[in-house]
Amino acid sequence: MRKSFFLLLCCSALSLGPVDRAVAEIVDQIVAIVNDDTITYSEMRKVLSPIYNQYQKVYQGEELLGKMIKAKNEVLNQLIENKLLAQEAKIREVELNPKEIDEHIDKIKSRFTSVDEFERVMAAEGLGLDQLRKSVEEQYMIRLLVQ
């Protein structure tokens, strides 16, 4: 019985092909669930990265660690609050003005010297135009809700 299990295990391993295919890679992980929405590690990292870079230039040791932990907690709380506000805006059916959304996206694009540069930065950030639009829409809905 033991030999047949070992043989079955070896055959299964060979059928998987190269070892690198068999190794799972964690692409992202969920750090918070807000009702039906999730907040991922990559979302937090995008916000925290420039903060951490700045802190590393100013602080060291325990003080740096304390500042980084505090920033992580504050960013997570802000992301949760934004999700809650966006959800509330959807519940209240806050109406979006597509023209204003387009104007805001055009304003973001105008900050770059060319469309090519804009697309390169978007790709480097791992963002597509649809994700940018969704983000702008959420910010717009939150602003309308809070007013």
Side-chain angles (χ1 to χ4, degrees), residues 79-117:
L79 290 171
I80 290 170
E81 187 175 321
N82 287 349
K83 291 282 185 189
L84 289 169
L85 288 169
Q87 291 170 3
E88 183 64 25
K90 287 178 186 176
I91 289 168
R92 292 186 185 191
E93 297 178 353
V94 172
E95 290 190 34
L96 297 174
N97 181 338
K99 184 179 177 185
E100 287 187 36
I101 302 297
D102 290 338
E103 287 172 357
H104 191 77
I105 291 172
D106 289 341
K107 189 175 180 181
I108 292 170
K109 287 180 180 179
S110 73
R111 295 178 188 156
F112 297 89
T113 56
S114 68
V115 173
D116 220 22
E117 181 189 10

Side-chain angles (χ1 to χ4, degrees), residues 33-38 87:
I33 298 174
V34 184
N35 297 320
D36 292 334
D37 289 332
T38 59
Q87 291 170 3

